[in-house]
């Protein structure tokens, strides 16, 4: 979205128009307020031009947004219960924590829109284009998503219990940790479904099963060479009722260090890379170890993949921490 479409709302004229629109509750002939507003006339009299508007935290129950352009708008924590947004464009908009129970969004276009933590219980999104949308932790109980397109959407930890998903396109969508009424199957699992059930129920790390079962199966967590794996791990951390206990069950056991040291006493029985990687993990002096270089490179590659696939905001925090350490 062009920056000038958002900046026009910051002018004195834009602020006055915005206040009048909010006072109307976006009901009745509110489009009259937009006459003469920069950019609005180009869309025609029947399309409401609200591109780039900031309506965060406003209470607008039952608002009439049919055939409205809300590209790039801020609707975070906005009260839109039973609002009508049919045939509306919401691409690039932010609706985090929005309250949209029983709202109607039929055939809307909302590409790369953020719905994280939004409440959409009973909402109707039939035939909507939701490609690349982010629905993390969104509450979609009883929502109607018939024939909606959720291709490459992020649905991690979303609640889809009771939702209607017939003919819904969810190709390449991330559904790690999603809550549904039906039992999960693991078509891409390296293990049979019987083994998956066993490890899920008895392995001590049920929240991490989606991450573990990505290609290449049980080794998926070893390399962290794809963003998809990290997304699944992040979802597992969010959904876990006892994340510390699950991680310990997944990666460690009380005798871990003793067992590693015992194995290192007979390194000939291990591959060079395995022996040196264990030494690296334990922080042992490798100055006289002939396997050190290969093992360290494996661990460094793992850390490099972690950095490469981590979210940009987290990478920035890491860089700031490194700068503070070096400057000290």
């Amino acid at each position: 979205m062009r920056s000038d479409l958002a900046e026009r709302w910051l002018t004195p004229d834009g602020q006055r128009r915005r206040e009048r629109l909010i006072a109307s509750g976006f009901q009745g002939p509110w489009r009259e307020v937009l006459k003469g507003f920069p950019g609005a006339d180009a869309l025609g009299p029947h399309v409401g031009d609200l591109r780039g508007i900031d309506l965060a935290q406003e209470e607008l129950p039952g608002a009439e947004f049919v055939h409205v352009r809300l590209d790039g708008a801020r609707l975070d924590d906005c009260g839109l219960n039973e609002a009508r947004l049919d045939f509306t464009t919401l691409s690039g908009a932010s609706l985090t924590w929005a309250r949209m129970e029983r709202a109607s969004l039929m055939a809307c276009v909302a590409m790369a829109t953020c719905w994280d933590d939004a409440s959409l219980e009973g909402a109707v999104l039939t035939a909507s284009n939701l490609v690349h949308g982010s629905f993390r932790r969104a509450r979609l109980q009883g929502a109607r998503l018939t024939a909606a397109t959720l291709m490459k959407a992020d649905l991690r930890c979303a609640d889809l219990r009771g939702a209607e998903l017939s003919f819904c396109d969810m190709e390449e969508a991330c559904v790690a940790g999603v809550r549904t009424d039906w039992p999960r199957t693991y078509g891409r699992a390296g293990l049979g479904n019987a083994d998956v059930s066993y490890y899920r129920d008895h392995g001590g790390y049920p929240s991490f099963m989606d991450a573990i079962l990505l290609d290449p199966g049980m080794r998926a967590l070893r390399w962290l060479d794809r963003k998809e794996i990290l997304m699944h791990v992040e979802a597992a951390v969010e959904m876990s009722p006892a994340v510390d206990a699950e991680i310990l069950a997944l990666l460690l056991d009380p005798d871990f260090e003793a067992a590693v040291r015992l194995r290192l006493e007979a390194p000939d029985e291990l591959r060079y890379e395995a022996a040196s990687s264990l030494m690296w993990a334990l922080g042992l002096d490798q100055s006289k170890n002939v396997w050190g270089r290969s093992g360290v490179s494996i661990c460094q590659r793992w850390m490099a993949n972690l950095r490469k696939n981590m979210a940009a905001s987290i990478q920035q925090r890491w860089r700031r921490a490194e700068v503070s350490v070096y400057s000290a």
Side-chain angles (χ1 to χ4, degrees):
M1 187 193 71
R2 304 197 318 261
S3 60
D4 59 315
L5 293 174
E7 291 172 356
R8 60 186 175 165
W9 295 103
L10 303 178
T11 65
D13 176 53
Q15 291 177 358
R16 285 191 296 269
R17 293 177 189 259
R18 177 181 173 277
E19 290 173 3
R20 289 176 60 191
L21 290 167
I22 293 173
S24 74
F26 292 92
Q27 297 178 358
W30 60 263
R31 286 171 171 77
E32 298 293 320
V33 177
L34 296 172
K35 286 185 176 180
F37 195 44
D41 294 338
L43 298 182
H46 302 297
V47 178
D49 183 9
L50 299 177
R51 292 174 291 177
I53 194 171
D54 186 346
L55 297 173
Q57 298 184 323
E58 298 293 342
E59 293 298 325
L60 302 167
E64 295 283 342
F65 288 124
V66 178
H67 285 293
V68 170
R69 294 288 299 272
L70 279 158
D71 315 58
R74 283 197 59 210
L75 296 160
D76 306 292
D77 195 22
C78 187
L80 291 166
N81 295 336
E82 301 184 356
R84 294 186 60 205
L85 295 98
D86 305 323
F87 309 104
T88 293
T89 303
L90 286 155
S91 295
S94 180
L95 294 104
T96 60
W97 294 102
R99 286 153 283 126
M100 307 183 73
E101 290 89 347
R102 300 174 301 284
S104 181
L105 299 104
M106 292 182 60
C108 74
V109 177
M111 301 176 66
T113 302
C114 183
W115 312 79
D116 293 350
D117 297 291
S119 178
L120 290 151
E121 290 99 329
V124 179
L125 296 108
T126 302
S128 289
N129 184 348
L130 307 171
V131 172
H132 280 292
S134 182
F135 291 84
R136 294 186 62 183
R137 300 171 301 276
R139 298 177 294 285
L140 289 150
Q141 300 99 305
R144 293 175 58 188
L145 290 149
T146 309
T149 302
L150 281 159
M151 185 183 297
K152 298 183 179 180
D154 186 352
L155 290 156
R156 285 178 288 171
C157 300
D159 194 336
L160 288 167
R161 290 175 296 176
E164 172 57 57
L165 298 168
S166 57
F167 305 107
C168 184
D169 183 357
M170 299 180 71
E171 183 179 355
E172 296 185 56
C174 184
V175 296
V178 70
R179 302 177 68 183
T180 63
D181 296 317
W182 58 88
R184 289 292 306 277
T185 58
Y186 301 90
R188 297 174 61 190
L191 300 170
N193 278 332
D195 292 328
V196 170
S197 299
Y198 175 81
Y199 283 107
R200 181 189 60 209
D201 298 336
H202 304 287
Y205 38 83
S207 305
F208 287 83
M209 290 307 298
D210 284 333
I212 292 171
L213 294 172
L214 292 173
D215 291 336
M218 295 294 285
R219 295 172 296 166
L221 297 182
R222 179 178 179 184
W223 301 115
L224 295 181
D225 57 352
R226 300 197 313 276
K227 182 179 180 180
E228 180 186 16
I229 297 174
L230 286 178
M231 290 174 67
H232 280 64
V233 171
E234 189 176 17
V237 171
E238 283 188 7
M239 69 181 290
S240 174
V243 65
D244 292 344
E246 288 203 46
I247 291 176
L248 287 173
L250 179 65
L251 303 175
L252 303 176
D253 65 70
D255 302 319
F256 171 75
E257 185 169 340
V260 170
R261 292 183 182 277
L262 182 63
R263 295 182 71 187
L264 287 174
E265 290 177 359
D268 292 341
E269 299 177 7
L270 300 172
R271 292 181 303 173
Y272 292 164
E273 293 87 352
S276 54
S277 295
L278 290 172
M279 288 182 173
W280 183 90
L282 286 169
L284 298 179
D285 181 7
Q286 301 183 58
S287 60
K288 299 180 180 180
N289 188 285
V290 296
W291 306 294
R293 182 174 299 175
S294 62
V296 170
S297 68
I298 290 172
C299 297
Q300 288 175 338
R301 186 166 70 248
W302 187 88
M303 290 298 294
N305 284 330
L306 182 64
R307 289 177 178 273
K308 180 178 66 176
N309 294 298
M310 191 60 69
S313 58
I314 296 177
Q315 292 188 41
Q316 290 174 359
R317 290 203 298 269
W318 284 357
R319 283 194 288 270
R320 286 197 294 269
E322 289 174 350
V323 170
S324 62
V325 169
Y326 287 125
S327 61

